[in-house]
Amino acid sequence: MTQLGLVVSLDRCMDTRGCMGACKQEHNVDLGAFWVRTYTSTTGDYPDAETYFIPVMCQHCRKPSCLPACPEQAISKREDGIVIIDTTSCAACEGKVCIDACPYGAISYNERDNTVGKCDLCAARVDEGLPPACAFACNSNAWLFGDVDDPESDISKVIALMSDNVHQLKVDSGNEPSCYYLLSSKEWRDMEGLRVR
Ligand code: SF4
């Protein structure tokens, strides 16, 4: 089996938002919609505040709760594990149930064309053997892309090597996300208290 995914090093992320810009440019994402968004996680007060930045996007779940929620069957999972939305089938139904079904807030409504959209791991680039635009654009080299089911891939080796400091978002959701976050120097706080700067 193949399951493409990402590791993002929060030890390296400086919130320069190259990922967000590259994603917008690659997919022509509507104003006000985001397929990846960098949040700030802060606890404590000055001078004891502790902060890190965390990009949140579709986690390409092994058990994607968005998929069965779509009344138009517009969401599917490719053989390489990428979860995609077929916007030609998406009627942006009144309830926009997929948006509510995603525990990560990863699906955005695009007002311009009355569809919903989300990270597709740059499936078109992947099909050409290229990494997703976010991973390519990050000037902190914080992103690693690959097959998390292949024990010989670089991404699997990093996950195994750094296992004590590798985290996933909302594991309790049961979605089995395919994105991982590396945070070794600070306390992992999952999605608690995230805010947009
Ligand atoms: Fe679906 Fe959300 Fe999982 Fe992406 S993160 S596959 S949108 S449930």
Side-chain angles (χ1 to χ4, degrees), residues 3 58-70 75-78 81-85 98 101-104 107 118 173-178:
Q3 175 61 63
C58 174
Q59 304 287 301
H60 298 281
C61 308
R62 293 178 192 271
K63 296 180 180 171
S65 49
C66 58
L67 193 154
C70 174
I75 304 178
S76 60
K77 192 165 172 69
R78 303 193 336 168
I82 298 178
V83 175
I84 55 171
I85 300 177
C98 62
C102 173
Y104 304 100
I107 303 179
K118 67 167 193 68
S173 68
N175 276 31
E176 298 184 18
S178 302

